[in-house]
Every structure is written in structure tokens, then in C-alpha cells.
Amino acid sequence: MDYKELKKTDCKKYIEKKGQFNYLSWPFMVDMLRINAPDATIHARTNQDGLPYFKDESGGLVETYIMVGSQEVWNEWLPIMDFKNKALKNPDAMDINKAIQRCKAKCISEYTGIGLYIYMGEDLPDAEQDISKPAVKLMTREQSDK
């Protein structure tokens, strides 16, 4: 798998829209993982009770991770959210399932580079993009305190 090459993948015809948000569907991303890293698998992490989510009074989170052979190579967390990307304090099974699927897509994107530009707010991949510079200018603590 060549991250730099896969990052250049044009996913424009696979982008779906829900509300104001663009995304790549989880079946597309699982397919891309299996095509480009056939020995990789993706899983949802379970809590101490064997359930595929973590919850406290503020809401819930899911975690997915990619395994290559017996080694975990990547993981990603995602809040359990509604269709407006607002955290849900009392998610049901369908909310948890949707969050796991979205988390899978994001995890695969981060691991392979496929569609990563969508999370950066770009329309198309840039073959010459300098990933050493952040897409968003971060403030220092002093700047945020002003």
C-alpha cells in the first residue's frame, strides 16, 4: 500500500452529502481498504461489557481500528452524533451503528489516505499538497486567551 499514491485518489464521484456535510460511505471505504490492503481488517472496539461504544454523562464515543495480521496499525474515535453532527447523550442501537460505520470510513481514510482531502475541507486531491503544514492555523494558548 502506497499512502502517497492513494492520497491522490479522486473520490469526487463517490462523495455523498448529508445536510451540509460531505462524506464517503463506509461500504466504499471498506472496499478501498480490501482492494489496497487485502490483508487488513477493520473492527469496532468493545468496552468492558463487550458493547461497541463508550458512554458517560456527556454522550458516547465509538472506536474503530485496523489490523494487519495480528498487529493493530491504526485507530480512530468518533462521537455518537445526530444528523447535525451534535453529540447524543442517550444514543440508541441505530445511532451507535451509524457512528461505527462513519468511524470506519474515517479510520480507513486516515490509514490509506483515500478521501482524506474531504476531511481537510478540500474539493479535490492535490498531488503536490504539502502535508507538513497544517490545513488550519492553530492558535497558541496565549492567543486563545485573548
Side-chain angles (χ1 to χ4, degrees):
M1 185 178 81
D2 185 342
Y3 177 89
K4 286 184 179 182
E5 285 302 311
L6 290 175
K7 189 172 179 279
K8 297 175 190 176
T9 303
D10 183 358
C11 300
K12 191 171 186 172
K13 63 183 174 185
Y14 301 104
I15 293 174
E16 297 182 32
K17 191 165 189 74
K18 187 163 252 182
Q20 64 184 18
F21 304 105
N22 290 333
Y23 69 97
L24 293 170
S25 70
W26 71 265
F28 170 74
M29 292 306 294
V30 168
D31 191 39
M32 292 293 94
L33 179 67
R34 289 185 173 160
I35 289 169
N36 292 287
D39 53 343
T41 57
I42 188 156
H43 308 270
R45 182 98 54 211
T46 56
N47 65 21
Q48 62 195 21
D49 298 320
L51 299 171
Y53 66 96
F54 302 84
K55 189 173 178 325
D56 65 16
E57 66 279 349
S58 67
L61 292 167
V62 296
E63 180 188 12
T64 59
Y65 60 97
I66 295 173
M67 300 284 295
V68 175
S70 61
Q71 183 176 356
E72 184 176 323
V73 295
W74 201 263
N75 73 302
E76 180 57 48
W77 289 87
L78 193 72
I80 301 169
M81 301 175 286
D82 64 13
F83 65 95
K84 294 180 181 176
N85 280 6
K86 300 290 184 195
L88 294 172
K89 290 192 178 191
N90 295 303
D92 63 23
M94 190 56 118
D95 299 323
I96 294 164
N97 180 62
K98 288 177 185 176
I100 290 169
Q101 303 313 332
R102 287 193 302 262
C103 195
K104 280 182 181 179
K106 186 176 180 186
C107 189
I108 294 167
S109 180
E110 288 181 358
Y111 179 64
T112 63
I114 297 170
L116 192 58
Y117 60 90
I118 294 168
Y119 294 100
M120 295 175 174
E122 299 173 9
D123 292 330
L124 293 172
D126 181 356
E128 303 303 317
Q129 181 180 19
D130 182 356
I131 61 171
S132 67
K133 296 178 184 170
V136 177
K137 184 177 179 187
L138 300 176
M139 290 192 292
T140 65
R141 181 177 300 277
E142 293 79 25
Q143 291 170 323
S144 67
D145 289 341
K146 291 181 181 179

